[in-house]
Amino acid sequence: CSRINSRYARNILKRSLYDLIQSMQVQLSFDCPFHPERDLFRKQEELKDNAYQSSWTCSYCGKWFYRERFLDQHLDNRHSALLGTVMNATCLANYCDILGCDLAHVQDTTLAKGNDLWWKTALCRSTQMVELRDQCLQIAEQCTPKSSKASSGVRNIIISNICSRLTCKNYWNRSNVALVMKEAYILALRILSSIIIFLALL
Ligand SMILES: [Zn+2]
């Protein structure tokens, strides 16, 4: 199970599901593969203390690292006993297609990846999206708490925030917006630096 992809998946779930159901004060059904208690890496990830950039501490044993990936290696080597031991622990990375981890990955990396994005959009297969959407709708049912008054709310959040994006038209949308925003930001920085150089030369 990929720790990095699980992290992308977890971050997407935080934004699109966990924060919202927390404000509604409801819990996901334990049948839900996205239930935080079932997350294979949850206990280990909670041990990470990222006080500031380039400072990653294992709060279990106090060891310090300047890169998150070195702390990841430390957790793999030293604290494997803390991996999820619950029955049916979930590898969130397995849900990356449904959650769109690729988008988050492209947003995280350089603008050059915009080409990859263009190709991914061009090569998107609508039949695959239909399959993913069906899986997503099944997950929405699994996640819906059986007895809570807010159960339809949970189902609706999953359908509108996750399943509804599973079309070729919508799948890459957010990252397009993010890339455009990144480009605009870089352009603004270039204009600003040109102005500063121009003023300095006066
Ligand atoms: Zn440690």
Side-chain angles (χ1 to χ4, degrees), residues 58-63 71 74-75 78-79:
C58 170
S59 56
Y60 196 75
C61 68
K63 209 151 188 233
L71 176 53
H74 167 79
L75 291 168
R78 301 285 169 173
H79 304 304

Side-chain angles (χ1 to χ4, degrees), residues 54-71:
S54 306
S55 171
W56 295 88
T57 309
C58 170
S59 56
Y60 196 75
C61 68
K63 209 151 188 233
W64 178 89
F65 304 88
Y66 72 99
R67 289 268 164 80
E68 187 176 17
R69 67 188 165 93
F70 297 136
L71 176 53

